[in-house]
Short mmCIF file of all heavy atoms in Angstrom, two decimals:
data_model
loop_
_atom_site.label_atom_id
_atom_site.label_comp_id
_atom_site.label_asym_id
_atom_site.label_seq_id
_atom_site.Cartn_x
_atom_site.Cartn_y
_atom_site.Cartn_z
N ALA I 111 -62.19 -20.83 -80.46
CA ALA I 111 -62.43 -19.57 -80.98
C ALA I 111 -62.89 -18.55 -79.91
O ALA I 111 -62.36 -17.51 -79.75
CB ALA I 111 -63.42 -19.57 -82.11
N LEU I 112 -63.90 -19.01 -79.12
CA LEU I 112 -64.41 -18.14 -78.07
C LEU I 112 -63.35 -17.95 -76.94
O LEU I 112 -63.21 -16.89 -76.34
CB LEU I 112 -65.68 -18.73 -77.43
CG LEU I 112 -66.97 -18.49 -78.08
CD1 LEU I 112 -68.10 -19.19 -77.42
CD2 LEU I 112 -67.25 -17.02 -78.23
N GLY I 113 -62.53 -18.96 -76.65
CA GLY I 113 -61.49 -18.87 -75.67
C GLY I 113 -60.48 -17.87 -76.16
O GLY I 113 -60.00 -16.98 -75.32
N TYR I 114 -60.00 -17.93 -77.35
CA TYR I 114 -59.01 -17.03 -77.85
C TYR I 114 -59.50 -15.58 -77.87
O TYR I 114 -58.76 -14.61 -77.51
CB TYR I 114 -58.58 -17.41 -79.23
CG TYR I 114 -57.32 -16.75 -79.70
CD1 TYR I 114 -56.05 -17.25 -79.53
CD2 TYR I 114 -57.36 -15.53 -80.52
CE1 TYR I 114 -54.87 -16.61 -79.90
CE2 TYR I 114 -56.20 -14.85 -80.87
CZ TYR I 114 -54.99 -15.42 -80.60
OH TYR I 114 -53.88 -14.73 -81.06
N LEU I 115 -60.71 -15.43 -78.31
CA LEU I 115 -61.35 -14.13 -78.36
C LEU I 115 -61.46 -13.50 -76.93
O LEU I 115 -61.10 -12.35 -76.79
CB LEU I 115 -62.73 -14.20 -78.97
CG LEU I 115 -63.60 -12.92 -78.97
CD1 LEU I 115 -62.95 -11.81 -79.82
CD2 LEU I 115 -65.02 -13.19 -79.50
N SER I 116 -61.78 -14.36 -76.02
CA SER I 116 -61.97 -13.83 -74.59
C SER I 116 -60.58 -13.45 -74.03
O SER I 116 -60.48 -12.43 -73.33
CB SER I 116 -62.61 -14.94 -73.75
OG SER I 116 -63.89 -15.25 -74.19
N ILE I 117 -59.58 -14.24 -74.32
CA ILE I 117 -58.24 -13.95 -73.81
C ILE I 117 -57.79 -12.57 -74.43
O ILE I 117 -57.17 -11.77 -73.72
CB ILE I 117 -57.24 -15.04 -74.25
CG1 ILE I 117 -57.55 -16.29 -73.38
CG2 ILE I 117 -55.78 -14.60 -73.94
CD1 ILE I 117 -56.74 -17.53 -73.83
N CYS I 118 -57.98 -12.40 -75.67
CA CYS I 118 -57.65 -11.17 -76.32
C CYS I 118 -58.38 -9.91 -75.72
O CYS I 118 -57.79 -8.90 -75.47
CB CYS I 118 -57.90 -11.20 -77.82
SG CYS I 118 -56.73 -12.20 -78.78
N GLN I 119 -59.66 -10.16 -75.48
CA GLN I 119 -60.44 -9.00 -74.87
C GLN I 119 -60.00 -8.74 -73.41
O GLN I 119 -59.92 -7.57 -73.03
CB GLN I 119 -61.94 -9.44 -75.00
CG GLN I 119 -62.51 -9.42 -76.36
CD GLN I 119 -63.86 -9.96 -76.50
OE1 GLN I 119 -64.27 -10.84 -75.78
NE2 GLN I 119 -64.66 -9.47 -77.36
N ILE I 120 -59.77 -9.73 -72.63
CA ILE I 120 -59.38 -9.56 -71.29
C ILE I 120 -57.99 -8.86 -71.25
O ILE I 120 -57.77 -7.84 -70.49
CB ILE I 120 -59.27 -10.86 -70.57
CG1 ILE I 120 -60.69 -11.43 -70.37
CG2 ILE I 120 -58.61 -10.69 -69.19
CD1 ILE I 120 -60.74 -12.85 -69.75
N SER I 121 -57.05 -9.37 -72.06
CA SER I 121 -55.71 -8.78 -72.06
C SER I 121 -55.73 -7.33 -72.58
O SER I 121 -55.03 -6.44 -72.12
CB SER I 121 -54.73 -9.64 -72.89
OG SER I 121 -55.14 -9.66 -74.18
N ARG I 122 -56.55 -7.03 -73.57
CA ARG I 122 -56.60 -5.75 -74.21
C ARG I 122 -57.16 -4.75 -73.22
O ARG I 122 -56.68 -3.60 -73.12
CB ARG I 122 -57.54 -5.80 -75.43
CG ARG I 122 -57.72 -4.41 -76.12
CD ARG I 122 -58.61 -4.67 -77.28
NE ARG I 122 -59.91 -4.95 -76.98
CZ ARG I 122 -60.91 -4.09 -76.75
NH1 ARG I 122 -60.66 -2.85 -76.83
NH2 ARG I 122 -62.19 -4.52 -76.45
N VAL I 123 -58.13 -5.15 -72.34
CA VAL I 123 -58.80 -4.19 -71.48
C VAL I 123 -58.19 -4.16 -70.12
O VAL I 123 -57.93 -3.01 -69.60
CB VAL I 123 -60.29 -4.58 -71.26
CG1 VAL I 123 -60.95 -3.70 -70.36
CG2 VAL I 123 -60.99 -4.54 -72.65
N TYR I 124 -57.80 -5.25 -69.53
CA TYR I 124 -57.39 -5.30 -68.07
C TYR I 124 -55.92 -5.50 -67.83
O TYR I 124 -55.42 -5.17 -66.78
CB TYR I 124 -58.15 -6.35 -67.38
CG TYR I 124 -59.72 -6.07 -67.32
CD1 TYR I 124 -60.60 -6.89 -68.03
CD2 TYR I 124 -60.20 -4.97 -66.70
CE1 TYR I 124 -61.94 -6.65 -67.98
CE2 TYR I 124 -61.54 -4.75 -66.58
CZ TYR I 124 -62.42 -5.54 -67.31
OH TYR I 124 -63.78 -5.27 -67.22
N ILE I 125 -55.21 -6.12 -68.86
CA ILE I 125 -53.86 -6.38 -68.53
C ILE I 125 -52.85 -5.36 -69.20
O ILE I 125 -52.03 -4.75 -68.50
CB ILE I 125 -53.46 -7.80 -69.07
CG1 ILE I 125 -54.32 -8.85 -68.30
CG2 ILE I 125 -51.99 -8.13 -68.79
CD1 ILE I 125 -54.14 -10.29 -68.69
N PHE I 126 -53.01 -5.19 -70.47
CA PHE I 126 -52.09 -4.29 -71.17
C PHE I 126 -52.56 -2.89 -71.28
O PHE I 126 -51.91 -2.01 -71.91
CB PHE I 126 -51.77 -4.94 -72.63
CG PHE I 126 -51.06 -6.16 -72.59
CD1 PHE I 126 -51.77 -7.36 -72.96
CD2 PHE I 126 -49.80 -6.32 -72.14
CE1 PHE I 126 -51.13 -8.66 -72.91
CE2 PHE I 126 -49.16 -7.53 -72.08
CZ PHE I 126 -49.81 -8.66 -72.50
N ASP I 127 -53.73 -2.65 -70.77
CA ASP I 127 -54.32 -1.28 -70.78
C ASP I 127 -54.26 -0.72 -72.21
O ASP I 127 -53.80 0.41 -72.39
CB ASP I 127 -53.60 -0.35 -69.80
CG ASP I 127 -54.35 0.98 -69.58
OD1 ASP I 127 -55.61 0.97 -69.86
OD2 ASP I 127 -53.71 1.99 -69.22
N TYR I 128 -54.82 -1.49 -73.16
CA TYR I 128 -54.78 -1.10 -74.56
C TYR I 128 -55.40 0.16 -74.81
O TYR I 128 -55.12 0.96 -75.69
CB TYR I 128 -55.35 -2.24 -75.35
CG TYR I 128 -55.55 -1.97 -76.86
CD1 TYR I 128 -54.49 -2.11 -77.72
CD2 TYR I 128 -56.77 -1.55 -77.27
CE1 TYR I 128 -54.74 -1.88 -79.12
CE2 TYR I 128 -56.98 -1.35 -78.69
CZ TYR I 128 -55.97 -1.51 -79.47
OH TYR I 128 -56.16 -1.22 -80.88
N GLY I 129 -56.41 0.49 -73.96
CA GLY I 129 -57.17 1.74 -74.15
C GLY I 129 -58.36 1.41 -75.01
O GLY I 129 -58.65 0.34 -75.46
N LEU I 130 -59.15 2.47 -75.39
CA LEU I 130 -60.42 2.34 -76.17
C LEU I 130 -60.22 3.08 -77.45
O LEU I 130 -60.13 4.23 -77.50
CB LEU I 130 -61.54 2.85 -75.32
CG LEU I 130 -62.93 2.60 -75.89
CD1 LEU I 130 -63.22 1.16 -76.05
CD2 LEU I 130 -64.01 3.27 -75.10
N LEU I 131 -60.31 2.35 -78.54
CA LEU I 131 -60.34 2.94 -79.85
C LEU I 131 -61.70 2.63 -80.47
O LEU I 131 -62.33 1.53 -80.14
CB LEU I 131 -59.24 2.40 -80.72
CG LEU I 131 -57.81 2.78 -80.36
CD1 LEU I 131 -56.85 2.09 -81.20
CD2 LEU I 131 -57.60 4.32 -80.55
N SER I 132 -62.23 3.48 -81.33
CA SER I 132 -63.50 3.25 -81.96
C SER I 132 -63.44 2.03 -82.93
O SER I 132 -64.46 1.36 -83.16
CB SER I 132 -64.06 4.53 -82.64
OG SER I 132 -63.08 4.96 -83.59
N THR I 133 -62.29 1.81 -83.46
CA THR I 133 -62.14 0.60 -84.34
C THR I 133 -60.89 -0.10 -83.93
O THR I 133 -59.77 0.39 -84.17
CB THR I 133 -62.07 1.03 -85.82
OG1 THR I 133 -61.03 1.97 -85.99
CG2 THR I 133 -63.38 1.61 -86.30
N ASP I 134 -60.99 -1.20 -83.26
CA ASP I 134 -59.81 -1.96 -82.77
C ASP I 134 -59.88 -3.46 -83.34
O ASP I 134 -60.94 -3.82 -83.88
CB ASP I 134 -59.60 -1.89 -81.36
CG ASP I 134 -60.75 -2.55 -80.56
OD1 ASP I 134 -60.83 -3.81 -80.62
OD2 ASP I 134 -61.56 -1.88 -80.03
N PHE I 135 -58.89 -4.19 -83.07
CA PHE I 135 -58.80 -5.49 -83.71
C PHE I 135 -59.78 -6.54 -83.18
O PHE I 135 -60.10 -7.51 -83.76
CB PHE I 135 -57.37 -6.11 -83.46
CG PHE I 135 -57.12 -6.59 -82.07
CD1 PHE I 135 -57.31 -7.96 -81.77
CD2 PHE I 135 -56.76 -5.75 -81.08
CE1 PHE I 135 -57.08 -8.49 -80.47
CE2 PHE I 135 -56.54 -6.24 -79.73
CZ PHE I 135 -56.69 -7.60 -79.46
N SER I 136 -60.46 -6.19 -82.02
CA SER I 136 -61.44 -7.11 -81.45
C SER I 136 -62.68 -7.24 -82.33
O SER I 136 -63.40 -8.30 -82.34
CB SER I 136 -61.76 -6.69 -80.02
OG SER I 136 -62.53 -5.44 -80.04
N GLY I 137 -63.04 -6.15 -83.02
CA GLY I 137 -64.22 -6.23 -83.91
C GLY I 137 -64.09 -7.24 -85.03
O GLY I 137 -64.94 -8.13 -85.13
N PRO I 138 -63.04 -7.20 -85.88
CA PRO I 138 -62.84 -8.26 -86.82
C PRO I 138 -62.66 -9.65 -86.21
O PRO I 138 -63.12 -10.61 -86.79
CB PRO I 138 -61.54 -7.82 -87.58
CG PRO I 138 -61.50 -6.32 -87.41
CD PRO I 138 -62.11 -6.06 -86.06
N LEU I 139 -62.06 -9.67 -85.04
CA LEU I 139 -61.87 -10.99 -84.43
C LEU I 139 -63.21 -11.59 -84.01
O LEU I 139 -63.39 -12.89 -84.08
CB LEU I 139 -60.96 -10.82 -83.20
CG LEU I 139 -60.20 -12.09 -82.70
CD1 LEU I 139 -59.33 -12.66 -83.74
CD2 LEU I 139 -59.38 -11.80 -81.42
N MET I 140 -64.15 -10.71 -83.61
CA MET I 140 -65.48 -11.20 -83.27
C MET I 140 -66.19 -11.84 -84.53
O MET I 140 -66.91 -12.83 -84.48
CB MET I 140 -66.29 -10.09 -82.72
CG MET I 140 -65.81 -9.60 -81.34
SD MET I 140 -66.43 -7.98 -80.85
CE MET I 140 -68.21 -8.46 -80.54
#
Side-chain angles (χ1 to χ4, degrees):
L112 278 179
Y114 192 90
L115 175 64
S116 298
I117 290 171
C118 287
Q119 289 171 329
I120 291 171
S121 62
R122 179 178 67 89
V123 175
Y124 295 113
I125 298 177
F126 297 110
D127 192 22
Y128 172 84
L130 186 64
L131 291 173
S132 55
T133 54
D134 65 72
F135 76 97
S136 65
L139 202 62
M140 292 165 71

